[in-house]
């Protein structure tokens, strides 16, 4: 199968290249195709002629998006619009990677794929706009929402915690936002499975289980064998431009209903990350 991977240099994109090994891959990042450039997207996609586009490229700076909404909408909404039009033109399937931030976090229970969306932030709205372009402009698509991603490549919470822990100072982390940390290797494998399944639709794809950022940090230090003075704080003590959902745990109901395996628990996935 001929597959384009966008965001190929990102923390998910690099793992996707491994998970889709054996296929004819065209991994692209902004240097190869700026997804906001309609003409370039149409030309490059037509030239390669993919069967599948796994679209992981995004403007992922949540606070930056709040301060620069136009950039977030240009990359996450218009970039996805361009790829959707190009996918339709060549008859390719598209898999779009979306986010738990499409939900407002007020449900008080895990969100499934049939729950109503209501993003709080510009980032969430821009990613939701991308979902809507995929749904309205292509016939055969997968939308896979994920959350709290960490991996070997790029910036992420695990690396930040390890760096702060090494500095030996008190580390303060919010304890009133609950979600599901997700290992990029696990996510890439699950996306590859879904993308080749032919079962088009919307999927929740995170490692299962839930924890606060504070609890997540505690587990990171435990697995790293680091003795760190870790203090819980609440979100009001941390001024950030973008509001975040207080509870954005995703239930993988579509996987369950399709008889596909959910991803393993986040604690196991984090332990595997440290072991690797
Ligand atoms: N990280 C998370 O916690 C999280 C949570 C939920 C959902 N997601 C979604 O999961 C996907 C992968 O996330 P990630 O953490 O792997 O992201 P990432 O590491 O930030 O990778 C995204 C990649 O997209 C590239 N990109 C940005 N603008 C582009 C453009 N105009 N044209 C082409 N490429 C462009 C980035 O290049 P530059 O680095 O040069 O900008 C980067 O290499 C994204 O769709 C994201 O929205 C992530």
């Amino acid at each position: 199968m001929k597959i384009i991977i966008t965001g190929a240099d990102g923390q998910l994109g690099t793992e996707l290249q491994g998970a889709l090994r054996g296929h004819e891959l065209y991994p692209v990042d902004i240097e190869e195709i700026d997804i906001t450039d309609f003409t370039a997207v149409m030309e490059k996609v037509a030239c390669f002629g993919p069967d599948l586009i796994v679209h992981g490229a995004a403007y992922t700076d949540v606070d930056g998006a709040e301060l620069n909404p136009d950039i977030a909408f240009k990359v996450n909404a218009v970039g996805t619009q361009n790829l959707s039009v190009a996918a339709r033109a060549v008859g390719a399937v598209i898999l779009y990677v979306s986010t738990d931030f499409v939900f407002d976090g007020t449900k008080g229970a895990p969100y499934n794929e049939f729950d109503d969306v209501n993003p709080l932030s510009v980032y969430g709205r821009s990613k939701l706009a991308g979902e809507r372009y995929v749904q309205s402009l292509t016939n055969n698509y997968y939308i896979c929402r994920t959350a709290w991603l960490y991996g070997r490549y790029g910036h992420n919470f695990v690396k930040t915690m390890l760096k702060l822990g090494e500095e030996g100072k008190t580390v303060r982390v919010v304890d009133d936002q609950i979600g599901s940390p997700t290992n990029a290797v696990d996510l890439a494998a699950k996306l590859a499975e879904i993308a080749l399944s032919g079962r088009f639709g919307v999927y929740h794809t995170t490692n299962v289980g839930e924890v606060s950022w504070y609890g997540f940090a505690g587990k990171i230090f435990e697995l790293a064998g680091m003795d760190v003075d870790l203090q819980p704080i609440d979100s009001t003590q941390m001024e950030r431009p973008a509001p975040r959902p207080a509870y954005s745990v995703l239930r993988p109901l579509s996987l369950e209903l399709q008889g596909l395996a959910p991803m393993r628990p986040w604690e196991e996935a984090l332990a595997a990350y440290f072991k690797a």
Side-chain angles (χ1 to χ4, degrees), residues 6-14 16 28-37 55-62 74-76 79 83 96-101 123 127 144-150 153-156 182 184 187 191 213:
T6 72
D9 297 342
Q11 54 177 344
L12 173 63
T14 44
L16 278 169
V28 297
D29 213 283
I30 193 159
E31 293 78 21
E32 293 81 23
I33 308 180
D34 180 344
I35 62 168
T36 67
D37 180 342
H55 174 30
Y59 182 84
T60 53
D61 178 352
V62 175
K74 189 162 185 191
V75 178
N76 297 343
L83 283 161
Y96 172 63
V97 186
S98 191
T99 172
D100 57 329
F101 279 22
Y123 171 74
K127 291 293 293 184
C144 297
R145 298 185 184 131
T146 194
W148 295 29
L149 200 59
Y150 61 89
Y153 306 97
H155 301 289
N156 58 60
T182 299
L187 178 60
L191 297 186
W213 287 110

Side-chain angles (χ1 to χ4, degrees), residues 136-153:
S136 58
L137 295 172
T138 71
N139 292 325
N140 297 326
Y141 63 82
Y142 308 94
I143 291 171
C144 297
R145 298 185 184 131
T146 194
W148 295 29
L149 200 59
Y150 61 89
R152 288 177 289 174
Y153 306 97

Side-chain angles (χ1 to χ4, degrees), residues 42 45-46 83-92 137-138:
M42 292 300 283
V45 170
L83 283 161
S84 300
V85 173
R88 188 168 71 174
V90 299
L137 295 172
T138 71

